[in-house]
Amino acid sequence: EEGFPDAVASNKEEIDKAIQLANKFPDVVNSINIGNETMIYWSSHKVDISTMLDYINYTRERVSVPVTTADDLGFWDKEESRQVAEVCDFIVLHIHPLWGGQEIDQALGWVKEIYFKIQSIHPDKSIVIGETGWATKKHNEGLQKELMNGDATEDNQLIYFNEFTNWAANNKIPHHFFEIFDEKWKGGDHPNEVEKHWGLYYSNRNSKRAIESNK
């Protein structure tokens, strides 16, 4: 923290603004999420767990809505995540089968396995799946080449979207499907960079097959 005073000040400013908005608009703000993938070991913006605990407790003392943080399955399955879960009102869990090396026919089964594992580690907490999805393109270089075995296609996105959302709805699991629109600004310069292609819609707002088939 001491080495990043600007970041500390910026974080505090954002949190105070979130608190202000939550208290001003109780019918709109149903919860506050502090941080996104900030404690997983590969995070590019890692936050110390003690700092996160301070942020969450500071926020909870000042609002009436639930407060949490969002992180990857590789954090929530670790022993150190217990102290964070303890101060969260619920858990936001990210599970990406494509990044997990899964082929499309194993994707949902793997997601279920991860979900129930995290549930068993944190049995007293409700779990929201904050991110899960299937990209429609990937690059043949870097970590995506190394870690992704499944085909990144619109057909597979359609399969995963239908299978996952049916399971989540039938089991009343709160979730956010990642994501609505492609984000061309993400990732590297190559146009097939996977981070640019998670949308159910292209960035020009034309729909992909998962949307077209569910109209």
Side-chain angles (χ1 to χ4, degrees):
E1 268 196 298
E2 293 177 2
F4 302 94
D6 290 345
V8 172
S10 178
N11 286 348
K12 176 70 162 43
E13 184 181 343
E14 283 194 30
I15 290 170
D16 284 340
K17 187 65 176 178
I19 291 168
Q20 178 191 345
L21 291 171
N23 291 328
K24 186 175 181 180
F25 302 106
D27 295 335
V28 176
V29 180
N30 64 13
S31 58
I32 294 178
N33 186 85
I34 307 289
N36 181 65
E37 296 177 350
T38 60
M39 292 170 293
I40 182 69
Y41 65 91
W42 45 253
S43 177
S44 61
H45 45 276
K46 208 164 186 309
V47 172
D48 185 80
I49 285 179
S50 63
T51 302
M52 179 58 71
L53 295 175
D54 289 343
Y55 285 158
I56 293 172
N57 285 325
Y58 174 87
T59 306
R60 289 184 76 198
E61 289 166 3
R62 290 163 174 79
V63 297
S64 57
V65 298
V67 180
T68 186
T69 185
D71 225 303
D72 185 71
L73 60 94
F75 170 72
W76 290 118
D77 70 354
K78 301 293 187 294
E79 185 62 32
E80 68 242 34
S81 72
R82 294 180 190 274
Q83 56 188 312
V84 178
E86 191 175 329
V87 300
C88 288
D89 292 300
F90 61 97
I91 285 172
V92 179
L93 167 67
H94 295 178
I95 318 176
H96 282 287
L98 195 54
W99 276 118
Q102 303 303 303
E103 304 275 1
I104 190 61
D105 55 346
Q106 272 91 45
L108 182 61
W110 184 79
V111 168
K112 290 181 184 178
E113 186 180 327
I114 297 294
Y115 177 83
F116 291 124
K117 178 183 179 182
I118 303 302
Q119 193 176 58
S120 71
I121 295 171
H122 307 288
D124 299 328
K125 298 293 177 179
S126 297
I127 297 174
V128 173
I129 297 180
E131 280 189 23
T132 193
W134 197 273
T136 54
K137 279 187 182 178
K138 64 179 181 180
H139 193 16
N140 59 358
E141 292 182 1
L143 277 178
Q144 56 206 288
K145 173 179 170 56
E146 181 183 333
L147 299 177
M148 293 182 172
N149 297 317
D151 291 329
T153 64
E154 286 194 41
D155 286 347
N156 281 349
Q157 185 186 64
L158 167 63
I159 292 168
Y160 183 65
F161 178 81
N162 287 343
E163 289 187 351
F164 172 81
T165 54
N166 286 338
W167 170 71
N170 289 337
N171 291 278
K172 296 182 168 57
I173 295 170
H175 62 276
H176 300 276
F177 197 88
F178 188 83
E179 60 190 338
I180 297 300
F181 297 107
D182 281 348
E183 298 178 284
K184 285 188 172 180
W185 55 272
K186 274 188 167 181
D189 294 331
H190 196 281
N192 288 348
E193 166 68 42
V194 72
E195 292 303 327
K196 303 179 189 298
H197 298 285
W198 291 91
L200 296 169
Y201 291 81
Y202 295 102
S203 56
N204 64 6
R205 299 184 178 243
N206 289 336
S207 52
K208 298 182 186 179
R209 282 205 64 203
I211 296 298
E212 287 296 313
S213 297
N214 283 283
K215 284 183 176 178

